[in-house]
Amino acid sequence: MNKTTNHRAWFLVLPVLVLVAFSAVIPLMTVVNYSVQDTFGNNEFFWAGLEWFEDVLSSERIRDAFLRQILFSAIILAIEIPLGIVVAVNMPKKGVWSSVCLILMALPLLIPWNVVGTIWQVFGRVDIGLLGHTLAALGIDYNYTRDVEDAWITVVVMDVWHWTSLVALLCFAGLKSIPDAYYQAAKIDSASRWKVFRYIELPKMQGVLLIAVLLRFMDSFMIYTEPFVVTGGGPGNATTFLSIDLVKMAIGQFDLGPAAAFSIVYFLIILLFSYVFYTVMKTLEKAEGK
Amino acid sequence: MTLVLEGASKVVDGEVWIHPTDLTLAKGTMNVLLGPTLSGKTSLMRLMAGLDQPSEGRILWEGEDVTGRRVQDRKVAMVYQQFINYPAMTVYENIASPLRVAGVPKAEIDARVREAAALMKLNERQLTRKPLELSGGQQQRCALARALVKNAGLVLLDEPLANLDYKLREELRAEIPKIFEASGAIFVYATTEPHEALLLGGNTVCLWQGRVSQFGPTPQVYRRPADATTARVFSDPPMNFLAAEKRGDRLHYGAGESVEATGPLAGLPDGPLQLGFRPDHLHIARPVEHALAFHAKVAVTEITGSETFVHLDHGADRWVALVHGVHPLRYGAPAEIYVDPAHVYVFGPDERLIAAASYASAA
Amino acid sequence: MARITLKDLAHSYSPNPQSPSDWQLKPTLNHEWVDGAAYALLGPSGCGKSTLLNIISGLLRPSQGRILFGDTDVTDLPTAARDIAQVFQFPVVYDTMTVYDNLAFPLRNKGADADYVDRRVRAIAAMIGMEDVLKRKARGLTADAKQKISLGRGMVRENVNAILFDEPLTVIDPHMKWELRTQLKALHEEFGHTMIYVTHDQTEALTFADHVVVMSEGEVVQIGTPEELFERPAHTFVGYFIGSPGMNLLPASIDGAMATVEGAQVPLAARYPGGQGLEIGVRPEFTRLVEGEAGLPVEITRIEDVGRHKIIRTRFHDREINVLSPEGAPVPEGARRVVFEPSRVNVYRDGWRIAGEGQA
């Protein structure tokens, strides 16, 4: 057992570095490249400087999409986080029913995005969809392809249906780590259900909630497939979120330069938001400890 | 085989966990690390094992500098307070695992596993079970057997019995010196309990706030503590203290009270002192003619069946007397208590020992 | 405060228990526990002591039998309605609350007015020595401090039927153990609550309780004062479990006031009926190592100096006999026999103590 310290171990990490370079670094650099150049096809590029960035930042269309995106993420977080907590708190902690619940909860998470979109697209149709048809039969005027509010409601409900489980499962994991003695002590102290939640369950869920908020924020901020499949961004531009707009610009209009600038701005926004979220919540957590 | 710490210290985030420590542990010795929680027992063990690197100083193994060498490359075995075994393996496989890693031939593995298992009193049936199917005591035996089978030169036991029932602890505690004697390795055993240190014998390293306050043969550290800190740590129930000043042939204490400095105390120099005496040396009946006598008030009595712990308030001090027999004394009752001057330790204002209790040189 | 009555109590986690080992508490337990006394439930892991405690606190409903506080049947009452306090093995504190709010929590839940809460909290904080940290958040305190808060929360309500302790000093350092235990004891003497203390640690049980309930394998083996458990263990298990080291036990045959162990004679203080399955038990405290020809011939295997006395471990045939010798008393050179104090020898048949003629 006479080993010496050397740097041979780095060779073992090399494949990972190569993979990351091909899958992340090189595409990212391509985008950066596009964002500062203009092209008229034939692989001819011209230096464009920060022109595309100026365009993107002053574009009203993109600003609208950005505000829509913020609103969407805010609604999603405001619904999914509390709902996920409520579901987790009320899930059975032990026995067969616990397993059954866990499986049921996991189901929506296992369905691919475009399938979820398709399901809801059909589900909500007034002519053949169960939901749309039922609502129409009840005399409610519901049509997500025509009415802006209906379209929003459909997209939000769909996301809630798809992703609340994730929040619930994360919270459930946090709850499971609470020793029985805490609940017993609370019973003995005659604590109400609310106090048990407020002083035992919530503090113990803090860590996982931070992760849940981050994940759900990033995911919802980048949402593309589902609303695209259901509403195609409509009616009008009512559900055109940032990513949908970006794709329209890049693939639909083939404006590679502005699209590249757009994606870099987009990326930076998400990075910034996540960082701010994380820092704020970490500071809160620390302040609690003092 | 010796393990030497040369000025080894550990500083984490500007906080001193271990002050510079010099320590030499000789081959085939049992060394108890005695100190309360957070006194640095585990930190010191991690330095010895090579799990942590010292911030300063060196660690020598058989004269060779092993500072910075990884724990995997040293001959170290460690057992923790928690029962740590591989849950998916049988007890047999658990014990065999370090040998398999080392590539020992199969027949030898079998022989050594069985030898270690026999030493730890794990029977054939238990060897085929998974650790979690066994009781806590058996799980810890499995962990101990795994540590032993490695034939490591240094075996570190970090409060290995703390999570076990009192009686189980007693049984395993009696076995540990036996396995230690059979192995010839350096054993280091961390504990918070003075009683455990005494039972294990060997040497004791007394730790307090990251500093070694004393190192020596266990009974000697117990009977001749170098300072008040060691005396306090190595006494359960805690040692009783009295701040006094010697003037002439009397010891003055409290608000103008005094007692004659009899026996060995007569020869002490004048000045402020701290007297210390262990609970089993504080009596409610006069033990010798020239015993020091104090007036105190009974606070609480605890009866163990054959003995009584009498907790007393003496001025602002809380004292404990451990006396033979059953004495259900009333709360608040005045009590006359005595201590034989031969049982009194004297510490200076700097807490250093001035004079050990004279009985200790005889014992 | 109340007397606690256990009536035909039994508990099993399996719905229809078959073998005796299916019972966590074997049928049936009948005990009446005095109001205002301090009890300890003592036994090894898995002996049923925690099960019994949880039945009393209402966290567990017994499979059989009733439990009464005073004259009220509380078997079907939920924990919160039983008016008890409990302290757990590991500190349970509400991390996000201040120390003050932690202590006030049970009172506020019961709707006590703010003045009273403040008075009680300050009184308790003084008792557990935490007046200085009342404003601090409980998170980030040491285990010792957290457990003190748990103890304080257990004591804060004045009119409880009982205060239950489930191995509360496990995570506490030896020195702090003394302090906390004497505090508990002082509080008991001051307020006279009924206290039930579960532990595997004999020192804690004996020093804390007026009455120690020794349990083994789901049964109560003996209830007695520390003195009774020490001097007259009702079962060999009690003899072994209490005392450190435990009682020396030797299989013997008995004829009148003379026991014979492996051919050696041991005089007894009274006459006993003979028979099968007999053992004699003597505590190491009453066993002496002597020179000469009388007594059991032994071989010394190890001497442990534990400070205030020495434990001399000896071998007699294939059994261990332990001798306690006081500090400072030299082990006599050439002493190879042990003798017992006849009046301290207990006699057991099939594990249970039998009384000699004219004895209790």
Side-chain angles (χ1 to χ4, degrees):
Chain A
M1 292 284 277
N2 267 328
K3 284 184 199 162
T4 48
T5 310
N6 57 36
H7 301 289
R8 244 179 294 167
W10 288 106
F11 284 106
L12 302 176
V13 191
L14 206 61
V16 179
L17 291 178
V18 172
L19 264 176
V20 170
F22 271 99
S23 65
V25 179
I26 294 176
L28 195 66
M29 292 323 291
T30 316
V31 171
V32 171
N33 204 22
Y34 276 139
S35 72
V36 291
Q37 300 195 48
D38 197 359
T39 178
F40 300 106
N42 296 337
N43 254 347
E44 284 176 63
F45 289 91
F46 307 93
W47 175 252
L50 295 175
E51 199 181 312
W52 299 134
F53 286 93
E54 283 163 22
D55 276 6
V56 164
L57 291 175
S58 60
S59 157
E60 210 161 292
R61 175 179 131 190
I62 293 177
R63 205 190 56 215
D64 286 349
F66 176 70
L67 291 177
R68 241 174 265 137
Q69 188 73 66
I70 296 267
L71 182 65
F72 179 72
S73 286
I75 294 176
I76 291 297
L77 287 180
I79 297 176
E80 288 180 9
I81 298 294
L83 187 61
I85 293 174
V86 169
V87 170
V89 165
N90 289 299
M91 263 168 76
K93 299 282 175 304
K94 285 188 196 116
V96 189
W97 287 112
S98 179
S99 317
V100 171
C101 277
L102 282 175
I103 293 169
L104 285 178
M105 300 290 294
L107 277 181
L109 300 175
L110 298 173
I111 305 174
W113 289 258
N114 55 341
V115 177
V116 171
T118 313
I119 290 175
W120 280 81
Q121 199 229 4
V122 176
F123 190 45
R125 272 171 64 171
V126 184
D127 48 353
I128 55 167
L130 183 61
L131 176 71
H133 199 73
T134 312
L135 288 174
L138 290 171
I140 298 166
D141 181 23
Y142 167 84
N143 189 331
Y144 64 80
T145 56
R146 205 180 52 218
D147 188 284
V148 173
E149 262 178 54
D150 290 354
W152 267 83
I153 291 172
T154 310
V155 173
V156 166
V157 169
M158 175 176 65
D159 196 89
V160 167
W161 176 83
H162 195 180
W163 289 113
T164 305
S165 311
L166 179 73
V167 180
L169 289 180
L170 282 171
C171 292
F172 186 70
L175 287 176
K176 285 275 272 193
S177 70
I178 302 175
D180 269 352
Y182 277 81
Y183 290 106
Q184 296 176 354
K187 272 191 202 172
I188 282 157
D189 293 339
S190 329
S192 60
R193 184 71 192 83
W194 164 249
K195 283 188 174 168
V196 170
F197 172 72
R198 171 71 187 78
Y199 295 113
I200 298 175
E201 294 175 333
L202 197 56
K204 291 277 174 190
M205 279 193 290
Q206 225 172 29
V208 286
L209 273 178
L210 170 64
I211 294 169
V213 168
L214 266 179
L215 281 179
R216 284 316 301 134
F217 167 72
M218 290 192 296
D219 252 13
S220 64
F221 209 77
M222 298 188 296
I223 193 164
Y224 173 76
T225 316
E226 296 142 292
F228 183 76
V229 172
V230 177
T231 64
N237 271 338
T239 56
T240 300
F241 299 121
L242 282 174
S243 58
I244 298 180
D245 207 18
L246 175 63
V247 172
K248 268 186 194 165
M249 191 186 280
I251 316 277
Q253 305 159 352
F254 223 70
D255 284 336
L256 286 186
F262 187 176
S263 24
I264 288 173
V265 172
Y266 194 178
F267 171 68
L268 291 177
I269 291 174
I270 292 184
L271 203 64
L272 179 76
F273 269 51
S274 302
Y275 177 75
V276 169
F277 254 125
Y278 187 80
T279 320
V280 166
M281 295 195 65
K282 268 282 167 207
T283 329
L284 278 181
E285 205 170 295
K286 262 205 186 134
E288 284 268 318
K290 289 276 147 72
Chain B
M1 264 192 299
T2 51
L3 178 74
V4 179
L5 272 66
E6 272 184 10
S9 68
K10 185 76 190 169
V11 181
V12 179
D13 296 334
E15 205 178 318
V16 182
W17 285 15
I18 297 290
H19 290 272
T21 298
D22 294 309
L23 214 54
T24 303
L25 308 182
K27 174 184 163 52
T29 51
M30 162 67 83
N31 303 279
V32 182
L33 294 185
L34 175 68
T37 311
L38 299 178
S39 61
K41 301 189 296 298
T42 303
S43 307
L44 197 56
M45 276 198 164
R46 292 180 64 89
L47 289 183
M48 291 175 176
L51 286 165
D52 285 335
Q53 300 314 321
S55 310
E56 269 172 53
R58 302 196 303 160
I59 292 165
L60 306 166
W61 176 250
E62 294 181 58
E64 187 194 349
D65 189 344
V66 294
T67 322
R69 189 176 295 176
R70 301 181 313 154
V71 65
Q72 292 93 317
D73 306 335
R74 297 194 197 174
K75 289 185 172 173
V76 176
M78 196 154 177
V79 176
Y80 302 85
Q81 181 176 348
Q82 296 79 14
F83 316 136
I84 297 175
N85 294 299
Y86 302 109
M89 295 185 190
T90 61
V91 169
Y92 183 97
E93 282 306 318
N94 259 288
I95 302 174
S97 60
L99 299 177
R100 295 219 196 278
V101 171
V104 174
K106 224 171 168 196
E108 197 191 329
I109 291 183
D110 191 65
R112 276 164 71 179
V113 168
R114 287 185 194 285
E115 189 191 358
L119 210 53
M120 286 324 300
K121 295 191 178 148
L122 289 164
N123 63 31
E124 206 54 45
R125 211 169 65 92
Q126 287 154 351
L127 279 178
T128 61
R129 308 275 287 273
K130 300 274 169 64
L132 292 178
E133 295 166 14
L134 302 178
S135 70
Q138 289 160 349
Q139 287 181 42
Q140 196 63 322
R141 282 169 195 270
C142 173
L144 283 166
R146 202 175 61 235
L148 286 176
V149 82
K150 265 177 106 172
N151 265 342
L154 178 63
V155 182
L156 303 166
L157 309 171
D158 192 358
E159 299 192 46
L161 308 183
N163 283 3
L164 293 173
D165 270 14
Y166 191 89
K167 269 285 157 178
L168 267 175
R169 218 181 282 176
E170 213 172 88
E171 277 170 25
L172 267 174
R173 201 188 275 140
E175 275 163 38
I176 282 173
K178 290 183 205 159
I179 41 179
F180 149 71
E181 276 157 23
S183 80
I186 299 179
F187 267 55
V188 181
Y189 188 111
T191 181
T192 58
E193 293 179 36
H195 186 67
E196 193 155 77
L198 286 164
L199 277 170
L200 291 168
N203 300 317
T204 289
V205 180
C206 208
L207 269 174
W208 175 255
Q209 295 180 346
R211 212 173 249 135
V212 173
S213 66
Q214 195 173 355
F215 174 54
T218 303
Q220 195 183 320
V221 177
Y222 178 78
R223 295 217 165 78
R224 297 187 67 89
D227 51 25
T229 300
T230 307
R232 206 172 286 128
V233 172
F234 208 157
S235 182
D236 183 43
M239 186 178 263
N240 305 304
F241 285 99
L242 174 70
E245 192 180 343
K246 181 151 187 290
R247 282 201 300 271
D249 61 352
R250 293 194 77 79
L251 290 157
H252 297 264
Y253 62 90
E257 288 156 289
S258 71
V259 67
E260 191 187 342
T262 49
L265 301 180
L268 290 171
D270 277 11
L273 302 164
Q274 231 191 127
L275 308 183
F277 31 93
R278 289 210 163 85
D280 47 311
H281 293 144
L282 196 55
H283 304 275
I284 51 174
R286 192 179 280 273
V288 287
E289 192 46 49
H290 58 287
L292 310 180
F294 301 99
H295 303 286
K297 251 208 248 148
V298 176
V300 175
T301 51
E302 299 179 305
I303 295 163
T304 69
S306 57
E307 293 170 319
T308 307
F309 291 104
V310 187
H311 298 257
L312 303 139
D313 286 319
H314 178 262
D317 294 325
R318 173 60 70 86
W319 287 352
V320 191
L322 172 52
V323 294
H324 276 285
V326 172
H327 305 275
L329 301 175
R330 204 167 36 78
Y331 171 78
E336 193 84 358
I337 45 176
Y338 307 91
V339 58
D340 181 341
H343 289 152
V344 176
Y345 293 88
V346 185
F347 303 96
D350 59 350
E351 301 239 311
R352 303 296 303 172
L353 184 74
I354 293 177
S358 58
Y359 91 100
S361 358
Chain C
M1 277 175 266
R3 181 182 76 239
I4 296 174
T5 312
L6 312 175
K7 236 179 178 168
D8 304 321
L9 211 61
H11 188 73
S12 170
Y13 287 111
S14 67
N16 45 9
Q18 306 289 328
S19 70
S21 63
D22 286 348
W23 291 96
Q24 271 64 47
L25 283 181
K26 291 200 176 117
T28 58
L29 230 55
N30 279 293
H31 290 291
E32 197 161 293
W33 290 355
V34 185
D35 184 13
Y39 286 87
L41 302 183
L42 175 67
S45 311
C47 72
K49 56 191 193 296
S50 292
T51 307
L52 182 53
L53 193 77
N54 287 340
I55 287 174
I56 294 171
S57 66
L59 297 170
L60 207 62
R61 199 191 177 286
S63 348
Q64 293 180 21
R66 319 296 301 171
I67 165 157
L68 280 71
F69 286 178
D71 296 322
T72 324
D73 187 333
V74 296
T75 319
D76 296 309
L77 282 187
T79 303
R82 290 191 185 192
D83 269 330
I84 46 149
Q86 186 164 350
V87 180
F88 296 86
Q89 183 172 6
F90 294 100
V92 175
V93 295
Y94 304 103
D95 274 337
T96 53
M97 290 188 200
T98 60
V99 174
Y100 186 101
D101 290 339
N102 259 286
L103 293 175
F105 196 59
L107 296 176
R108 289 180 179 156
N109 289 334
K110 287 274 170 190
D113 69 89
D115 273 356
Y116 175 73
V117 171
D118 192 65
R119 241 186 6 257
R120 277 305 287 169
V121 167
R122 288 188 191 283
I124 292 290
M127 280 185 225
I128 57 173
M130 298 196 82
E131 300 127 298
D132 302 337
V133 291
L134 279 176
K135 290 275 164 284
R136 265 192 66 169
K137 284 264 160 75
R139 180 181 292 176
L141 293 173
T142 62
D144 279 358
K146 284 186 176 180
Q147 191 64 330
K148 277 193 187 175
I149 299 176
S150 304
L151 286 171
R153 244 193 11 255
M155 314 288 313
V156 77
R157 280 167 56 206
E158 281 175 298
N159 50 349
V160 287
N161 281 317
I163 305 176
L164 315 181
F165 301 91
D166 193 356
E167 311 206 7
L169 302 182
T170 308
V171 294
I172 309 289
D173 262 12
H175 280 52
M176 192 57 77
K177 267 184 191 167
W178 285 97
E179 198 187 312
L180 287 180
R181 214 173 55 218
T182 44
Q183 259 168 11
L184 277 184
K185 187 111 184 165
L187 291 171
H188 179 250
E189 273 168 24
E190 201 172 331
F191 299 112
H193 285 121
T194 307
M195 288 188 176
I196 302 172
Y197 188 111
V198 164
T199 179
H200 62 80
D201 185 323
Q202 46 164 311
T203 316
E204 279 179 30
L206 294 169
T207 51
F208 173 81
D210 313 323
H211 307 275
V212 179
V213 181
V214 185
M215 295 184 69
S216 167
E217 293 171 12
E219 278 180 293
V220 170
V221 194
Q222 186 172 6
I223 300 185
T225 62
E227 207 177 340
E228 284 163 0
L229 298 182
F230 181 79
E231 289 183 350
R232 294 180 296 281
H235 191 274
T236 49
F237 175 80
V238 180
Y240 148 82
F241 202 77
I242 304 236
S244 170
M247 193 176 237
N248 298 312
L249 285 164
L250 301 163
S253 60
I254 290 176
D255 182 19
M258 187 61 77
T260 310
V261 185
E262 302 279 358
Q265 298 214 311
V266 177
L268 305 173
R271 296 177 62 83
Y272 288 86
Q276 293 296 305
L278 292 173
E279 280 174 285
I280 57 168
V282 199
R283 295 212 169 269
E285 285 84 348
F286 307 123
T287 305
R288 274 184 310 122
L289 194 63
V290 293
E291 291 160 282
E293 294 305 307
L296 308 181
V298 295
E299 180 197 338
I300 297 176
T301 54
R302 191 177 151 84
I303 299 176
E304 291 164 3
D305 180 353
V306 297
R308 61 195 180 87
H309 54 236
K310 289 192 190 75
I311 302 172
I312 305 167
R313 302 196 183 271
T314 71
R315 187 148 288 282
F316 170 69
H317 293 268
D318 55 350
R319 294 190 162 256
E320 189 170 56
I321 297 179
N322 295 313
V323 181
L324 280 197
S325 147
E327 184 178 30
V331 177
E333 198 70 29
R336 291 293 176 269
R337 300 257 170 181
V338 297
V339 293
F340 306 126
E341 263 177 57
S343 63
R344 301 295 196 164
V345 179
N346 286 288
V347 178
Y348 297 89
R349 176 181 287 142
D350 299 327
W352 294 95
R353 182 175 180 272
I354 52 176
E357 280 173 25
Q359 279 185 335

